[in-house]
Amino acid sequence: KPDIVLIRPGKGIVILNVFSENLDQFTLNNGMLSRGGLAIPSPLSRVYTYRTNLIEQHSTQLLKAALVSNVGWYIVRPAIWFTNSTRESIDSVYAGEKKDAHNPNIISGVVTLSTEDFNNNEILYSLDVKRTRKEFTEEASSEIIKMLTMQWHSYNEGDGEIVLTKRQRELAKSFDRRQIRIKGVAGSGKTQIL
């Protein structure tokens, strides 16, 4: 799952993953970062996959926007923050990857951020969160927020009528300064009497 998802209605979504390793210790080979015989998927490909999945599998509104116009894909901006790597390190490891002609911080469609990038206003330009996107409607942003928000099912939203056994009714009665330990296997109704 993504580390951070920022949603700005009418502007877009940023999916931001954090990569805390030092890139100077890695080499890139066929989309995998390697270090000392250990290979892991490139963080760029992982966050790009999150973006694709969000659009194609979780949001009908974003998918419609992407199918109608290529601009729809730019509603969701994938990004990686390399917390222990310099811009020079990022550019060195990803030297063979496709860079955006207008923004050199975008590599293979993913915004790459070093710690230095957080110290200037270029981050807003790189993340492209200032531009208004009419395709990112209120309905689309609500759909994404609902999907990302943890759903809470309260006890009183259950099936309504709770029927307790005689013993459960006895245990449910409160008495001053009386403690009762209730034991039982899963599904035996311990929570019901609370």
Side-chain angles (χ1 to χ4, degrees):
K1 293 187 176 184
D3 294 327
I4 300 168
V5 178
L6 304 171
I7 300 172
R8 189 169 182 199
K11 303 290 184 179
I13 301 169
V14 175
I15 298 175
L16 179 66
N17 266 17
V18 178
F19 187 78
S20 59
E21 302 286 333
N22 184 343
L23 271 180
D24 289 331
Q25 300 171 359
F26 289 89
T27 58
L28 183 68
N29 189 11
N30 293 326
M32 301 290 283
L33 288 179
S34 301
R35 174 180 66 184
L38 176 69
I40 59 171
S42 168
L44 271 66
S45 61
R46 291 185 72 189
V47 76
Y48 198 84
T49 300
Y50 294 149
R51 170 200 186 211
T52 303
N53 288 344
L54 179 67
I55 293 172
E56 293 180 352
Q57 298 175 14
H58 298 291
S59 173
T60 56
Q61 297 300 315
L62 291 180
L63 183 57
K64 284 179 192 176
L67 292 173
V68 168
S69 165
N70 202 27
V71 173
W73 286 98
Y74 295 103
I75 292 171
V76 182
R77 178 66 76 185
I80 298 288
W81 178 20
F82 294 95
T83 58
N84 288 312
S85 301
T86 63
R87 169 60 42 206
E88 191 177 316
S89 298
I90 297 167
D91 291 340
S92 173
V93 169
Y94 290 101
E97 301 297 307
K98 182 183 174 195
K99 293 206 171 148
D100 187 272
H102 303 292
N103 185 343
N105 288 358
I106 299 177
I107 302 172
S108 298
V110 177
V111 177
T112 58
L113 302 167
S114 66
T115 301
E116 302 114 30
D117 295 323
F118 276 87
N119 295 330
N120 62 47
N121 288 331
E122 291 296 313
I123 189 170
L124 296 176
Y125 169 72
S126 294
L127 293 175
D128 198 22
V129 292
K130 289 185 170 184
R131 182 186 316 201
T132 299
R133 300 194 186 280
K134 64 180 174 89
E135 301 86 2
F136 191 43
T137 63
E138 183 66 35
E139 186 179 359
S141 63
S142 296
E143 180 184 45
I144 296 297
I145 291 168
K146 184 177 181 182
M147 188 266 304
L148 292 173
T149 305
M150 187 169 149
Q151 299 298 313
W152 176 256
H153 179 76
S154 68
Y155 189 70
N156 60 3
E157 291 174 347
D159 58 7
E161 178 116 2
I162 298 173
V163 180
L164 300 177
T165 65
K166 182 179 176 185
R167 179 69 178 139
Q168 286 174 323
R169 282 193 302 274
E170 290 170 5
L171 291 170
K173 292 179 184 173
S174 293
F175 296 99
D176 284 342
R177 301 182 190 264
R178 182 175 168 205
Q179 294 182 351
I180 300 173
R181 176 178 288 174
I182 302 170
K183 300 189 298 185
V185 298
S188 63
K190 300 178 295 294
T191 306
Q192 298 287 334
I193 64 172
L194 294 177

